[in-house]
Amino acid sequence: MYQARIETVLASMREMGLEQMLISDPDSIWYLTGYDVSPFERLLVLCLRQDGRHTLFLNRLFPPPGEGVPCRQVWFSDSDDYLSILASQVDAGRDMGIDKDWPARFLLPLMERNPGCRYVLASSCVDGARACKDPVEQQLMRVSSQINDTVMERAAAFLRAGITEREVSEYIVSQYAAEGCDQVSFHPMTAFGPNAADPHHEADGTVLQEGDCVVIDMGCRKDRYCSDMTRTFFFRSADPKYTAIHDLVREANELAESMVRPGVPLKELDRAARDHIAAAGYGDYFTHRLGHFIGQTEHEQGDVSSVSPIIAKPGMIFSIEPGVYLPGQFGVRVEDLVLVTETGCEVLNHVDKRWRILG
């Protein structure tokens, strides 16, 4: 499995004319080797080479990798000149690919030590491989989304008069723990009434009142893989103007999902959803991209937007999340994750998307 993933990255590197690349993102290192460690401020880097002499550079404070890690290991301590060690182990005469997350405190000294090397941003080599999930990853994403379905229904049932946004978000976190999740993929967003007009509202002490819309955006991380879903409800009563907007947003979500299949430019999905909302007069209130990629983190490289250059491929998983936000009044978002299949897509979320009056 790991060797196949490495070969995919090496093929992308060859397309860029790269013989070597340094990868520092711990999630990407785990993806390519199975080695899992959080380095905090210390150096952790994997060097991939076309000649197969892959090397993992490790601080002696880190635990040793288990058997089967497909690369040799170079160890150092805090007192060693570890960047000189790294510089001596790479090819100083060839271009070096670098991933987007490597801190300048490591990159700049390496550039000083190997001034003849040209450094190239090559994150796309790894990001492209991670974007298309293999069957094992796809099943892990299904499980994570199944938990999200379960907890979303519990959160909806938990709503009652006098409850605060913060209490709902804390309840969601507790239910993820009860389901054996590793952690949240992001802190749950709960927004009541006018607060829902802020797409990134942070739950606070606002109290739920009759007639409020309730936007819940939530996701968990189970066995390293994340889920993400948004549903919008109403408490005890609903303004017909707002339910009509909810229907509009749901229709935009379903329209975009119906178009997902291999070969479709993702910008066309954004355009279709956006045009549907704009035709009803709310185009100016759909203020964000249609979706984002997801996997080991809730926002992986790649998006579904009007400027996305990405063409849908089997194994890709991304969100479809149109919204309308009326400042000071109301907000609605309907979000699913979709998996691109060989013939279309699989929607990973199954909680009813139609508006409901709760309480």
Side-chain angles (χ1 to χ4, degrees), residues 35-109:
Y35 181 60
D36 184 20
V37 69
S38 296
F40 298 102
E41 77 276 13
R42 292 182 167 84
L43 176 72
L44 170 68
V45 70
L46 170 66
C47 180
L48 294 186
R49 296 170 56 110
Q50 296 290 355
D51 62 10
R53 295 179 59 235
H54 313 311
T55 305
L56 190 58
F57 294 86
L58 300 157
N59 193 296
R60 295 189 187 281
L61 286 174
F62 301 158
E67 295 183 4
V69 172
C71 53
R72 69 189 185 103
Q73 300 159 32
V74 172
W75 293 87
F76 55 84
S77 66
D78 284 349
S79 58
D80 293 328
D81 185 355
Y82 45 85
L83 287 167
S84 290
I85 293 172
L86 175 59
S88 70
Q89 295 286 326
V90 301
D91 191 335
R94 292 183 179 272
D95 292 353
M96 173 67 75
I98 300 292
D99 74 16
K100 61 185 180 296
D101 295 321
W102 209 34
R105 68 177 182 273
F106 298 138
L107 174 58
L108 295 179

Side-chain angles (χ1 to χ4, degrees), residues 10-18 50:
L10 291 174
S12 295
M13 290 169 56
R14 285 193 291 272
E15 292 178 3
M16 295 185 68
L18 291 173
Q50 296 290 355

Side-chain angles (χ1 to χ4, degrees), residues 111-354:
M111 294 172 69
E112 292 175 355
R113 286 166 173 77
N114 285 348
C117 182
R118 187 173 74 96
Y119 295 86
V120 179
L121 180 62
S123 285
S124 60
C125 296
V126 182
D127 294 337
R130 286 178 56 180
C132 293
K133 274 58 179 179
D134 62 32
V136 172
E137 293 177 292
Q138 292 173 25
Q139 183 57 26
L140 290 171
M141 294 287 289
R142 290 188 187 98
V143 170
S144 186
S145 286
Q146 288 166 4
I147 294 172
N148 222 23
D149 285 345
T150 297
V151 176
M152 178 66 83
E153 293 288 15
R154 290 178 188 169
F158 188 67
L159 295 173
R160 60 185 185 275
I163 201 169
T164 67
E165 295 174 342
R166 189 174 293 115
E167 286 174 319
V168 176
S169 290
E170 290 173 352
Y171 174 76
I172 291 168
V173 173
S174 74
Q175 294 307 295
Y176 286 148
E179 292 297 321
C181 297
D182 306 333
Q183 57 189 14
V184 296
S185 51
F186 58 93
H187 194 72
M189 188 200 98
T190 304
F192 298 158
N195 289 346
D198 176 1
H200 287 153
H201 174 70
E202 294 187 10
D204 58 26
T206 299
V207 173
L208 183 61
Q209 300 180 31
E210 181 173 345
D212 279 348
C213 65
V214 179
V215 175
I216 300 177
D217 185 354
M218 50 185 269
C220 62
R221 193 169 191 248
K222 171 70 171 173
D223 296 328
R224 298 192 70 96
Y225 284 82
C226 295
S227 57
D228 189 4
M229 173 174 53
T230 308
R231 293 291 185 264
T232 303
F233 308 104
F234 296 94
F235 186 65
R236 291 188 174 172
S237 64
D239 187 319
K241 173 185 175 181
Y242 297 156
T243 60
I245 295 173
H246 191 296
D247 287 338
L248 177 71
V249 171
R250 174 183 50 79
E251 291 165 359
N253 166 277
E254 293 170 344
L255 172 61
E257 290 177 354
S258 73
M259 297 170 60
V260 177
R261 63 186 183 277
V264 171
L266 299 192
K267 63 184 178 183
E268 291 188 6
L269 308 181
D270 183 280
R271 181 184 301 115
R274 202 168 299 278
D275 286 351
H276 184 74
I277 290 173
Y282 292 100
D284 289 343
Y285 302 100
F286 180 10
T287 54
H288 53 72
R289 63 191 177 185
L290 181 63
H292 59 84
F293 279 59
I294 186 170
Q296 291 188 68
T297 59
E298 75 277 12
H299 282 196
E300 291 196 334
Q301 191 69 17
D303 68 2
V304 186
S305 71
S306 61
V307 296
S308 176
I310 300 172
I311 305 297
K313 297 178 182 179
M316 288 182 171
I317 298 179
F318 46 80
S319 66
I320 299 291
E321 49 179 303
V324 167
Y325 310 94
L326 305 181
Q329 301 179 51
F330 161 84
V332 57
R333 183 162 63 255
V334 177
E335 176 187 16
D336 294 318
L337 297 184
V338 296
L339 162 64
V340 183
T341 65
E342 295 293 336
T343 58
C345 81
E346 175 187 345
V347 179
L348 299 187
N349 302 106
H350 301 97
V351 175
D352 194 338
K353 292 184 277 194
R354 293 168 294 183

